[in-house]
């Protein structure tokens, strides 16, 4: 065991963290009827509460915002009640937890949409990607372009969802601005060919992401608001011709909003960190509050980037799935368990709450 910044407390906006290790949001498709998170979900997150911060899985802000089967929502009373049990379980273990607010945009399927309608997008361009619906991986549906007068309603869905998240006991929220979903679809010109105030220039393409973030910050306080971005990730079939200019601008505006953190997926989500040239230091320098770094970090890279000042917190995703005691394993350089890929998405306790800790404390 060594002294390492990773294991030191940290103040994230209004939230006190016991260490600098963040559990990244992970989609697990185990919501119950009504897309309500259940007792198993409370147990799963409580098992992982030793992370300094737990970012709960991407959670849709409306029915239109859903893109995969059995992902949880935060727009009904029952969903709020379900999440309340989850946050209580994590808080009882001394953990801190924010909710990731999600609108999938074009990464959806007619079978999930209100009245079987088309998924919505900045432009009527179908993504080259699949979703999981009716227990199968299928191509996403052809989307329709949102009318400009529909956008205020989407901003308001995020605002209400943020309010609901606080009512459910979360310590804050993270806007999902990454991985090829709605807000990134607007930001990246591979998915956005609009000619109105939400398309074309860097400023116009950033507008919806910034309006949503501003609304959330106004609703719950900037010191409880963060955002996840993935400037060069091609996740869900998206492309951008000018990521440095686009994200330099976005981060300048996020700085002006005074939000607590930016959570940056460096490289291709879940893939190579060096997929495209990008100066993450430029984002770091433009943003005075917390920079959470993510993607492919291990103990060595995390320690190096913290000590070099490249990041304040490090988010780890997949290692948390098979290692509920991931923090303790990192601390003692213990070996990590491997994920069973067949139980990642959907199902019950198997591959969800049954991964053992390395050493079970007596009497637990
Ligand atoms: C994996 C499967 C489905 C969704 C993301 C919310 O990439 C997701 C996601 C990941 O941000």
């Amino acid at each position: 065991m060594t002294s390492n910044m990773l294991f030191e407390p940290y103040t994230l906006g209004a939230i006190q963290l016991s260490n600098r290790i963040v559990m990244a949001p992970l989609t697990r498709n185990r919501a119950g009827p009504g897309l309500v998170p259940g007792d198993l979900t409370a147990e799963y997150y409580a098992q992982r509460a030793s992370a300094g911060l737990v970012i709960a899985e991407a959670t849709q802000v409306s029915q239109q915002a859903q893109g995969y089967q059995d992902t949880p929502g935060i727009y009904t009373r029952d969903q709020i009640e379900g999440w309340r049990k989850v946050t209580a379980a994590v808080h009882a273990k001394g953990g801190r937890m924010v909710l990731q607010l999600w609108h999938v945009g074009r990464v959806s399927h007619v079978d999930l949409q209100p009245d079987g309608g088309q998924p919505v997008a900045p432009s009527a361009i179908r993504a080259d990607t699949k979703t999981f619906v009716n227990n199968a991986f299928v191509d996403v549906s052809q989307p329709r372009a949102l009318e400009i007068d529909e956008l205020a309603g989407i901003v308001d869905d995020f605002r209400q969802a943020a309010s609901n998240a606080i009512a459910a006991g979360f310590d804050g929220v993270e806007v999902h601005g990454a991985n090829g979903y709605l807000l990134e679809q607007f930001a990246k010109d591979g998915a956005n060919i609009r000619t109105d105030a939400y398309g074309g220039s860097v400023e116009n393409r950033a507008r919806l992401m910034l309006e949503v973030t501003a609304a959330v910050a106004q609703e719950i306080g900037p010191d409880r608001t963060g955002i996840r971005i993935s400037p060069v990730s091609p996740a869900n079939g998206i492309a951008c011709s000018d990521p440095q200019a686009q994200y330099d601008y976005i981060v300048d505006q996020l700085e002006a909003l005074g939000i607590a953190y930016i959570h940056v997926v460096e490289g291709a989500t879940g893939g190579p960190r060096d997929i495209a040239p990008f100066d993450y230091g430029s984002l770091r320098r433009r943003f005075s509050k917390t920079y959470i770094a993510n993607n492919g970090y291990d103990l060595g890279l995390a320690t190096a980037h913290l000590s070099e000042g490249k990041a304040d917190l490090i988010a780890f995703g997949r290692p948390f799935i098979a290692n509920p005691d991931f923090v303790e394993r990192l601390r003692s350089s213990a070996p990590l368990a491997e994920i069973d890929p067949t139980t990642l998405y959907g199902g019950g306790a198997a591959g969800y709450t049954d991964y053992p800790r390395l050493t079970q404390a007596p009497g637990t």
Side-chain angles (χ1 to χ4, degrees):
M1 204 184 298
T2 54
S3 93
N4 181 320
M5 283 172 76
L6 259 182
F7 306 107
E8 290 173 2
Y10 184 82
T11 302
L12 173 66
I15 314 170
Q16 294 296 324
L17 311 185
S18 61
N19 60 62
R20 295 179 184 233
I21 297 163
V22 175
M23 178 177 169
L26 293 159
T27 290
R28 306 302 309 274
N29 308 76
R30 281 166 168 90
L35 306 176
V36 173
D39 293 344
L40 213 51
T41 295
E43 183 184 351
Y44 162 77
Y45 282 114
Q47 289 171 341
R48 289 156 180 79
S50 57
L53 180 70
V54 174
I55 305 174
E57 66 210 75
T59 295
Q60 58 267 7
V61 300
S62 64
Q63 187 188 346
Q64 182 196 70
Q66 185 181 356
Y68 306 80
Q69 80 179 47
D70 301 332
T71 56
I74 186 71
Y75 54 93
T76 71
R77 191 187 306 255
D78 287 350
Q79 291 162 355
I80 296 170
E81 289 306 315
W83 279 119
R84 206 192 297 276
K85 292 186 211 160
V86 179
T87 61
V90 169
H91 287 149
K93 296 269 185 185
R96 297 287 180 270
M97 189 177 201
V98 302
L99 183 63
Q100 193 188 48
L101 300 184
W102 195 24
H103 193 309
V104 298
R106 66 180 184 168
V107 185
S108 187
H109 191 276
V110 290
D111 286 355
L112 295 171
Q113 290 294 305
D115 304 317
Q118 287 180 284
V120 299
S123 304
I125 306 170
R126 190 172 182 157
D128 181 13
T129 192
K130 292 196 182 296
T131 181
F132 191 70
V133 57
N134 305 324
N135 296 315
F137 285 98
V138 296
D139 289 341
V140 298
S141 302
Q142 172 66 34
R144 69 172 177 86
L146 281 156
E147 302 291 339
I148 195 164
D149 64 6
E150 293 179 274
L151 299 180
I154 290 176
V155 173
D156 209 57
D157 287 341
F158 274 92
R159 180 201 303 273
Q160 183 63 51
S163 172
N164 294 350
I166 297 301
F170 284 98
D171 298 294
V173 309
E174 173 175 291
V175 173
H176 196 337
N179 296 346
Y181 298 114
L182 183 72
L183 302 180
E184 197 183 85
Q185 289 159 27
F186 270 85
K188 293 189 172 178
D189 56 1
N192 181 352
I193 55 166
R194 298 178 74 95
T195 54
D196 61 11
Y198 291 84
S201 66
V202 156
E203 293 81 359
N204 283 357
R205 280 183 278 131
R207 195 176 307 283
L208 187 65
M209 187 185 288
L210 295 170
E211 286 179 349
V212 162
T213 309
V216 167
Q218 188 195 43
E219 186 71 28
I220 67 165
D223 55 354
R224 295 189 183 276
T225 301
I227 185 170
R228 194 178 211 208
I229 54 176
S230 52
V232 299
S233 183
N236 287 307
I238 204 152
C240 186
S241 67
D242 56 355
Q244 193 76 53
Q246 178 65 312
Y247 284 86
D248 281 352
Y249 172 77
I250 286 172
V251 171
D252 281 344
Q253 300 304 308
L254 295 171
E255 169 69 10
L257 291 177
I259 61 168
Y261 73 83
I262 57 172
H263 177 184
V264 184
V265 181
E266 298 166 344
T269 312
R273 293 179 49 81
D274 60 355
I275 184 160
F278 192 88
D279 179 11
Y280 297 99
S282 174
L283 307 188
R284 174 74 165 147
R285 287 188 295 278
R286 286 163 195 274
F287 193 73
S288 60
K289 303 233 176 46
T290 298
Y291 182 105
I292 307 180
N294 172 248
N295 206 31
Y297 279 85
D298 59 12
L299 179 62
L301 193 63
T303 305
H305 279 208
L306 287 184
S307 65
E308 291 162 16
K310 290 181 174 167
D312 301 299
L313 302 172
I314 308 291
F316 299 85
R318 294 172 67 94
F320 268 105
I321 292 176
N323 300 277
D325 53 348
F326 178 61
V327 172
E328 292 74 18
R329 293 195 200 210
L330 272 188
R331 204 190 293 269
S332 57
S333 298
L336 296 178
E338 294 292 332
I339 291 174
D340 172 2
T342 65
T343 52
L344 267 181
Y345 304 118
Y352 192 46
T353 52
D354 66 351
Y355 286 109
R357 304 176 73 84
L358 203 55
T359 49
Q360 208 75 35
T364 64

